Amino acid sequence: MDIFFSNLYGKIFEMETYKLTPFSYKSIIDYKENLNYQQLKAVEETEGHCLVLAGAGSGKTRVLIYRLAYLLEKGNNPENILLATFTNKAAREMINRSECLLKSSISGLWVGTFHHIGNLILRKEAAACGYSPNFTIVDREDAKDLIEDCLEELGFLKQDKLFPKKNIISNIQSLAVNSQKELDEVVASFYSHIEEYTPGIKRVLNFYKKKKKESNVMDFDDLLFNWLKILQDKDLCAKYSKNFKYILVDEYQDTNRLQFEILKALASVHKNILAVGDDAQSIYSFRAAQIDNLLNFPKIFSSTKIFKLQINYRSSPQILSFANEIIAHNVNQFPKTLEAIKKDGELPVVVKTNDVYQQAKFVAQRVLELNKEGVPLEEMAVLFRSRFQSLELEMELLKRNIPYIVRGGVRFFEQAHIKDVLAYLKVINNSKDELSFKRAISLYKGIGKNFAYKIWAKLIKEKKTTEEIEKKLPARQKQGFKEFFLLLRSLKETQKPQEAIQEILKFYKDYCYLSFDNPQERILDLEELAKMAANYPTIRRFLLDLNSVEDFKGETLSSPTQKEEMLVLSTIHQAKGLEWEVVYLIGFSDYEFPHPKALNSAKALEEERRLFYVATTRAKSYLYVTYPQTKYTFKNGLIISRPSMFLDELPSNCYQEWNLQDNASHLL
């Protein structure tokens, strides 16, 4: 006994010392039993800088999960591990599967999207980049609205009707930040038709940056930009690079220059990045993703070890042979040959159709035939290079009463009614949030966007009280103004997000019926949002999680009540990472696939070929590639169309061709 003390009566008590020991994960996983030899090497031998080249369907997620479990079983503290993913869904899946493996919960791990992790770090270090910790995060649409405000205030909208609109300026800003390029270079490369407006765009974006600082808000790109900014401080860089002993990165081929610089800084002490990706699936250059981050990894990070995952668990040997032939024509790559585990299947089918209408009829008929043979609609997908290519097909599906869903629509949290309600919570959390204030108050009768701006100016710039402003308001605005601030005061009294949303709904239900053609569905959405909020003790905690939702690859939240089986329609970009029993790739015609803009660039052409590869490797058992022989254009009328140049690169023995036969008045 090492400590003694007396009570009021003078009696001596002995105090015992109880030592707390760190929690350790027991070694319970049989890695050899659960992993193939390629995966096992990538789990057990990846100390130092390592590049895992994971072919399509080769189990890259499995490798990351087992690698995480392996590190924890070896006694590493979860707080010293960073796992960066590209979607919140992927992060949740990896944590859930890791906890199942370890038969224990994992706490303290740094896991999530780059934006989510950046958000967490900036909450701790906001002062280093001129912000306060309770900053608000604005999504893409709100950021565009703020840019529009800048255009309005600077007078560009009145001066020149041809001046670039908010969407273009927002895209230019995002590309410049994520690629770490000068704005002039981005405009010249991607928007040369508006190059004369570059000085004006710079002025708008400088004002945009100033307004964000004044409002204490950040957009999604700021979460990365400011993260890198604080890492340029030697002390902060040392703090975090020392903490992150192991850095695991999913989908490394999709990283941009900004993310690469962040990772390089974080790995400067322990030199321990495990980058998992596939150069053959790098298809997001239009979002500033840089394939060179992966291709040059061994040159940039010394003593890099390279591992290849080439055993495919998804597709038939025939589909893999087709895919291997596609990607073999790319020069800039780490060569891989996918090997099939599944038994032999059917050769991919190339179908020549008269036009887009016959193409639509073929797909619809084949969908019904395979569905009748037992393939669920949800196990079939129609993929296309560009969104417009699905128009005739959608009409045919409606005609035949085939239910379908188009991936990549408006996401749950980007819907107007959800953003309206969240605006109130954001104002409660951050009183400087100009965008949220204006959005919320403009919902009231008589108060439009312009009038909301005037109210904000009186409150913030002129320092007027609400009572002073209310006295001078016209009657048609006074009532809405009063109701808004009464609701705000009521919300401040409760910090529980569920109660706050329910309080907002008392007003917002009427607004739904007056403003939307599907009010009941929107109200149900908001009630679901309130249920979700019940899991959070405060508004701030609730918003912290919602703020981490980012829009990189079309991650969507579907309605929990949606049970009907549906055919999937999707662009290839939206389909990456998914798989189906049957895939139909339509519109595989010259000057449509590859995209005409890629024809003058070897680098762009290789990305188009990778896009073709990604489309084919989504299929498990059946692959159909269709191309119309004719198409109609407004400029040239009816023209003859050839199959894509990529088809000419493939040996004829790796696919079969089908001829369509017309019967009676039908094309099929």
Side-chain angles (χ1 to χ4, degrees), residues 241-403:
S241 59
K242 284 178 182 176
N243 181 74
F244 295 130
K245 184 179 179 182
Y246 291 98
I247 300 173
L248 314 179
V249 189
D250 188 21
E251 303 283 13
Y252 188 74
Q253 78 281 346
D254 294 333
T255 54
N256 56 45
R257 181 72 186 184
L258 186 52
Q259 291 162 333
F260 164 77
E261 294 293 348
I262 289 169
L263 290 171
K264 193 165 71 167
L266 292 177
S268 59
V269 171
H270 295 292
K271 304 186 188 306
N272 218 330
I273 295 180
L274 174 67
V276 180
D278 183 7
D279 51 294
Q281 297 187 70
S282 180
I283 58 174
Y284 294 115
S285 64
F286 67 96
R287 290 177 179 163
Q290 292 190 354
I291 190 174
D292 290 343
N293 289 350
L294 189 148
L295 295 177
N296 295 332
F297 190 95
K299 299 175 186 175
I300 296 165
F301 298 104
S302 59
S303 304
T304 293
K305 290 182 280 186
I306 297 177
F307 301 83
K308 292 185 179 182
L309 305 181
Q310 301 176 99
I311 299 174
N312 177 284
Y313 292 88
R314 177 187 299 156
S315 306
S316 68
Q318 286 73 18
I319 291 173
L320 290 187
S321 175
F322 189 78
N324 286 332
E325 291 288 352
I326 293 168
I327 206 63
H329 290 271
N330 271 6
V331 175
N332 297 300
Q333 65 167 314
F334 290 102
K336 294 180 298 297
T337 302
L338 296 179
E339 306 167 22
I341 290 294
K342 294 178 72 171
K343 295 179 181 178
D344 277 348
E346 294 187 10
L347 281 171
V349 179
V350 173
V351 184
K352 177 172 59 178
T353 69
N354 290 335
D355 51 29
V356 290
Y357 300 102
Q358 191 180 52
Q359 174 179 255
K361 289 174 187 265
F362 165 73
V363 172
Q365 179 173 312
R366 193 68 186 129
V367 164
L368 291 174
E369 289 171 350
L370 289 173
N371 184 238
K372 191 174 181 180
E373 291 174 17
V375 181
L377 286 180
E378 62 193 15
E379 275 296 327
M380 291 186 269
V382 183
L383 307 183
F384 31 86
R385 172 65 182 82
S386 303
R387 183 68 179 84
F388 74 88
Q389 292 175 308
S390 71
L391 177 60
E392 292 80 14
L393 175 62
E394 290 189 51
M395 293 173 64
E396 186 68 24
L397 295 174
L398 289 169
K399 179 178 163 184
R400 300 198 186 205
N401 201 27
I402 301 174

Side-chain angles (χ1 to χ4, degrees), residues 164-191:
K165 301 298 184 284
K166 62 180 182 179
N167 287 349
I168 293 177
I169 296 175
S170 176
N171 290 341
I172 291 170
Q173 159 78 0
S174 186
L175 271 173
V177 170
N178 287 289
S179 64
Q180 293 284 275
K181 292 179 179 177
E182 292 297 325
L183 189 129
D184 305 68
E185 184 181 351
V186 170
V187 174
S189 300
F190 297 94
Y191 298 92

Side-chain angles (χ1 to χ4, degrees), residues 73-105:
E73 284 195 335
K74 290 296 179 182
N76 291 287
N77 191 324
E79 293 179 0
N80 299 133
I81 301 173
L82 168 64
L83 172 55
T85 65
F86 268 82
T87 65
N88 295 297
K89 180 181 176 182
R92 289 191 296 269
E93 179 189 354
M94 289 187 192
I95 288 301
N96 291 339
R97 287 174 61 179
S98 297
E99 289 181 339
C100 288
L101 266 182
L102 293 163
K103 295 182 170 47
S104 176
S105 63

Side-chain angles (χ1 to χ4, degrees), residues 111-142:
V111 58
T113 64
F114 280 90
H115 296 84
H116 172 70
I117 295 165
N119 181 24
L120 295 178
I121 290 176
L122 288 170
R123 295 291 172 185
K124 300 173 184 289
E125 315 293 351
C129 55
Y131 279 83
S132 60
N134 68 326
F135 62 83
T136 299
I137 301 172
V138 294
D139 64 21
R140 304 289 183 194
E141 291 307 312
D142 282 342

Side-chain angles (χ1 to χ4, degrees), residues 121-133 135 213 216 218 225-237 239-240:
I121 290 176
L122 288 170
R123 295 291 172 185
K124 300 173 184 289
E125 315 293 351
C129 55
Y131 279 83
S132 60
F135 62 83
K213 272 283 183 70
N216 196 37
M218 293 188 197
F225 180 82
N226 288 326
W227 184 8
L228 180 59
K229 185 176 180 179
I230 67 169
L231 289 177
Q232 290 166 348
D233 178 286
K234 289 183 180 179
D235 293 335
L236 288 175
C237 186
K239 173 183 175 181
Y240 286 100

Side-chain angles (χ1 to χ4, degrees), residues 456-493:
W456 176 261
K458 288 183 181 297
L459 283 170
I460 302 303
K461 295 178 181 178
E462 299 178 23
K463 307 296 181 184
K464 300 285 187 182
T465 65
T466 54
E467 289 77 16
E468 289 173 327
I469 297 171
E470 184 180 339
K471 285 179 184 177
K472 296 183 179 181
L473 288 178
R476 61 189 295 268
Q477 278 116 14
K478 187 175 288 187
Q479 183 62 31
F481 180 91
K482 188 176 179 180
E483 289 176 3
F484 172 71
F485 279 97
L486 281 174
L487 179 54
L488 276 192
R489 292 187 189 105
S490 174
L491 296 178
K492 285 179 180 178
E493 292 176 5

